[in-house]
Amino acid sequence: MIQTSEGAAVLDKVFDIAELIANHPDGLSPGEISERLGLPRPTVYRLVSLLTRRGYLAPGEDRRLRIGLGFLRLGSRAPVADWIRDHGRPVLWNLVKASGCVSAQIAVLDNGSALFLERTSSSDAAFRLDLRAGDAVPLYCTALGKVFLAAAPKAEGDLLLQGIEFEPRTAATLPDRAALEREMAEVRAQGFALSIAEYADDVWSVAAPVAVPWSGPLYSIGVSEHMWRHSPE
């Protein structure tokens, strides 16, 4: 059992490495991890070797490290994960069928992003969007994310807004905090959020807040569609 401040510092580094890799689906090399986190390479090699041996990281054929199944096993044991699997999937599938949209998803606010807890896609593989449970998307340019920004208490919302870097993902991406705050007022008034070609040029989405019984956090549920299949109108 780790009981010292030195041990706690090691745990911090382990979580820093895991969270960094989780935000890079294409993987990272130990050298890239060392550079981005400012950690000595021997420390990075020692910790990623431990995580890989325990199944929490998985090296690909390109030798880049990605999140392994160990984290999936842990996440699957969370009570909310069981609830989402048992109740969320049927709801998402019904949303896909009723709306005719290509996918439906439910997310939770996590570390300044909207984290997909569950996702259901159309049975037509040709139209599926390249996102899945466990992926995280930005708050400022997605309907799921805007729901969390609009629902956050003022102090928490200010912190979330301060942490946003307004990367122009598309020509329609909101350019700055002022534009986002104006849209947040609209989201609060209408009870749902829209993202039209803001995250990706060919995708629109709509989402609304939802509360899960006995679970504290607010969740966001929504549908997504290709612009060329169905108009957001």
Side-chain angles (χ1 to χ4, degrees):
M1 182 180 295
I2 296 178
Q3 296 180 331
T4 66
S5 58
E6 180 182 354
V10 171
L11 279 178
D12 272 340
K13 294 181 177 69
V14 167
F15 287 121
D16 286 345
I17 290 171
E19 289 172 357
L20 177 66
I21 294 174
N23 288 323
H24 290 80
D26 292 334
L28 293 170
S29 69
E32 290 171 325
I33 296 170
S34 172
E35 181 179 349
R36 292 176 187 238
L37 294 179
L39 295 174
R41 288 200 178 203
T43 299
V44 170
Y45 278 107
R46 175 168 55 86
L47 294 178
V48 299
S49 295
L50 171 64
L51 289 167
T52 301
R53 188 169 66 251
R54 299 288 292 267
Y56 293 104
L57 295 180
E61 293 182 0
D62 55 3
R63 298 183 181 277
R64 298 173 74 79
L65 294 159
R66 297 170 176 82
I67 291 297
L69 294 177
F71 284 111
L72 180 62
R73 287 193 295 271
L74 287 181
S76 67
R77 287 167 171 77
V80 69
D82 291 336
W83 193 94
I84 294 297
R85 272 196 306 270
D86 294 342
H87 299 84
R89 283 180 184 172
V91 171
L92 295 179
W93 180 236
N94 286 336
L95 274 177
V96 168
K97 290 192 295 183
S99 67
C101 289
V102 70
S103 68
Q105 45 277 329
I106 186 167
V108 67
L109 179 63
D110 180 70
N111 197 29
S113 299
L115 177 70
F116 284 24
L117 293 178
E118 190 60 63
R119 195 163 195 273
T120 298
S121 296
S122 163
S123 57
D124 191 333
F127 299 138
R128 292 182 185 176
L129 301 174
D130 190 23
L131 288 167
R132 56 188 177 180
D135 287 341
V137 294
L139 301 181
Y140 69 100
C141 59
T142 61
L144 291 170
K146 291 176 184 178
V147 165
F148 296 123
L149 289 172
K154 187 178 187 310
E156 181 183 350
D158 285 342
L159 287 175
L160 290 171
L161 289 167
Q162 289 170 16
I164 293 175
E165 296 181 8
F166 288 86
E167 176 189 352
R169 296 185 61 93
T170 73
T173 302
L174 295 176
D176 53 36
R177 176 169 175 167
L180 181 56
E181 287 183 328
R182 287 193 295 271
E183 184 156 336
M184 291 307 92
E186 295 179 7
V187 172
R188 295 185 192 102
Q190 63 196 13
F192 63 89
L194 287 167
S195 172
I196 301 176
E198 296 176 44
Y199 177 75
D201 284 312
D202 67 335
V203 175
W204 63 266
S205 59
V206 59
V210 62
V212 174
W214 56 260
S215 181
L218 180 76
Y219 297 86
S220 181
I221 189 168
V223 294
S224 298
E225 182 56 276
H226 291 289
M227 300 284 287
W228 51 269
R229 285 192 74 220
H230 296 297
S231 166
E233 302 299 328

